Amino acid sequence: MKLGITIGMIRGARPQLEMDLVLEAERLGFDAVWCGESYGTDAVTPIAFVLARTTRIKAGTGIMQMPARTPTCAAMTAMTLQALSGNRFLCGIGPSGPQVVEGWHGQPNGKPLGRTREYVDIIRAILAREKPLEHEGEHYQIPYKGPGATGHGKPLRSIIHGDPSLPIYTASITPGGLRLSGEIAEGNLPIFMSPEAAEAVVGPTLEGMAKSGRSLEAYDIAPYTKIRLGDDLQACRDAVKPELALYIGGMGARGKNFYNDYCKRLGYPDAAVKIQDAFLDGRKAEAAAAVPDKLVDEIALVGPADRIRGRLQDWKAVAKEGKVGTVVLTGATPEALRVAAEAVL
C-alpha cells in the first residue's frame, strides 16, 4: 500500500502553498501529492509548482474540473507537465457537481458520465498521436462544424509527443461513476471510503472492469482519508465532523446529493437524512453533531499515534486484497505524516 497527501492553498489575501508538507512527504517516501480546485485557486498551477520543487514524488490534479477546460486543453496541460517533470504527473479529471458546473463555470451539468467518457477518449487519442484528432460525440465535436463555424477547422495532430501511459484518475463515488472509472481509467479518488464497506467502491468498479477486460492489479483505488492526530480521541473526531456534515448535508439539494447517497450505501441511512435535514435548515452545528462517531472512525484516521498506526493496519489488510492501492491523507501535519510513514512505508 502506498501513501499520498492532498495539499491546498493556505487561505487569505495572499494564498501560499504548503510546500513544507510536500517536501516532508517526499523525504518520507510518500508516493504522490494531489491538489484539487473548487471556485478559488486552480489545481494545475500548484501541481506545476510542486513538480518544479521536487525530484521524486508524483503530483496530480485531484481533480481538474472538466467544464473549466476543453479535453484538448487538459491533454496539452498533461503533456507539458509530463515533459517538464520526467513523467511524474498524474492526470485527475472529473465533471464536478452541478452547483459548481452551472453556478461557477456557467456550463450545463448535462450528462456527466457521457461527457467523462468522451473527455478521456479525446485525451487518449491525443496522447496516442496515431492520426490527426477527430471526434464526433454528443458532447464534443472536433473539428467543430456547428453554428458559427467558419468551415476552416481541420484535424490536427499534437506537435509534441506525449506518453500514452499517462495515468488518468477520476473522482467517483456514485455507482455509475465507479463503473465508468473501472472501465476507462487507471485509478479513482473517492472522497472518503471505509475498509469495512470497501465493496461500496470496489463492487461497481469491478463491474466496469469486466466490460474492458481489466483488473484491480493495474488500477489504483486511492481514497482521500482525513487524518487528525491528537491525544483526545473525541476532540479529533469532532474536528473532522463539520467537513463531513458539509459534504453529506450541504453539497446538493435533497435527492440530488451523491455524498448523502454514498453515506447511505456505507450503512448510515438514518444519519444521512438527519445530517442533511439539519444542514439545509441552517443548523450546521447540529448537522456536525449528527455525524456518527463510528462513521468517523471508519473513514478517517483520528486520535493518538498508536491508534492511527493500528487503524492503518486495517487499511493494509484491505490493500492486500487489492481493494486499495493508495491511502491519500487529507488535513495532515508533518507529525501525522511521520506517524503514517512509520506504519506503512
Side-chain angles (χ1 to χ4, degrees):
M1 186 176 79
K2 297 177 290 187
L3 290 176
I5 62 167
T6 64
I7 54 167
M9 300 291 286
I10 300 172
R11 296 182 181 181
R14 306 181 74 175
Q16 295 183 3
L17 193 60
E18 301 171 300
M19 273 308 301
D20 289 346
L21 194 69
V22 172
L23 295 174
E24 180 65 0
E26 181 171 55
R27 186 189 72 81
L28 291 168
F30 277 60
D31 183 70
V33 177
W34 294 91
C35 184
E37 60 188 15
S38 52
Y39 41 96
T41 54
D42 75 319
V44 174
T45 307
I47 288 305
F49 194 86
V50 165
L51 289 168
R53 293 282 308 277
T54 57
T55 59
R56 185 201 59 78
I57 200 165
K58 299 169 191 171
T61 50
I63 55 169
M64 284 193 283
Q65 296 170 346
M66 288 163 28
R69 43 185 74 78
T70 65
T72 47
C73 178
M76 291 166 65
T77 298
M79 290 189 295
T80 305
L81 290 176
Q82 274 185 307
L84 294 175
S85 68
N87 276 14
R88 289 186 292 129
F89 175 65
L90 304 172
C91 182
I93 60 98
S96 192
Q99 289 180 318
V100 172
V101 174
E102 297 178 359
W104 181 248
H105 294 300
Q107 300 292 319
N109 192 57
K111 302 175 182 178
L113 294 184
R115 185 180 295 272
T116 301
R117 182 184 293 277
E118 289 189 33
Y119 206 93
V120 172
D121 285 347
I122 293 168
I123 292 175
R124 293 206 191 283
I126 292 170
L127 292 170
R129 206 175 174 273
E130 294 174 350
K131 60 181 181 179
L133 178 65
E134 293 184 84
H135 181 87
E136 286 287 341
E138 179 180 357
H139 303 279
Y140 300 102
Q141 184 185 71
I142 305 172
Y144 177 71
K145 304 180 185 73
T150 63
H152 297 158
K154 64 178 183 179
L156 300 171
R157 193 194 312 254
S158 170
I159 297 170
I160 67 168
H161 294 239
D163 186 344
S165 68
L166 170 75
I168 297 179
Y169 285 68
T170 65
S172 307
I173 55 173
T174 66
L178 291 166
R179 283 191 288 269
L180 181 64
S181 185
E183 181 183 352
I184 68 172
E186 280 72 50
N188 183 35
L189 301 160
I191 188 65
F192 47 79
M193 182 175 171
S194 163
E196 287 75 21
E199 288 304 314
V201 170
V202 176
T205 302
L206 288 172
E207 291 173 11
M209 288 180 170
K211 295 182 179 180
S212 55
R214 306 165 78 231
S215 71
L216 285 173
E217 293 179 0
Y219 187 87
D220 184 21
I221 296 177
Y224 283 9
T225 307
K226 194 77 173 176
I227 186 167
R228 188 79 177 199
L229 177 66
D231 293 332
D232 188 332
L233 172 58
Q234 193 59 49
C236 291
R237 287 172 175 148
D238 292 343
V240 171
K241 289 182 180 183
E243 183 176 353
L244 291 176
L246 170 64
Y247 279 91
I248 297 169
M251 289 291 192
R254 287 183 176 87
K256 295 291 184 180
N257 182 331
F258 38 73
Y259 303 105
N260 191 274
D261 295 340
Y262 182 45
C263 182
K264 293 174 181 176
R265 296 200 306 276
L266 291 179
Y268 297 89
D270 294 339
V273 171
K274 188 175 181 180
I275 293 165
Q276 187 176 60
D277 286 345
F279 198 97
L280 294 181
D281 288 345
R283 296 176 278 117
K284 296 182 180 179
E286 187 176 329
V291 176
D293 288 347
K294 187 173 183 291
L295 174 61
V296 175
D297 290 344
E298 283 190 31
I299 66 176
L301 298 165
V302 290
D306 285 344
R307 188 177 191 276
I308 288 175
R309 292 189 192 100
R311 184 59 175 159
L312 281 166
Q313 301 312 306
D314 297 332
W315 280 104
K316 288 175 71 174
V318 174
K320 287 181 180 179
E321 299 174 0
K323 297 178 179 179
V324 171
T326 306
V327 170
V328 181
L329 305 180
T330 71
T333 63
E335 184 180 2
L337 295 185
R338 290 189 282 271
V339 169
E342 290 169 3
V344 175
L345 303 178

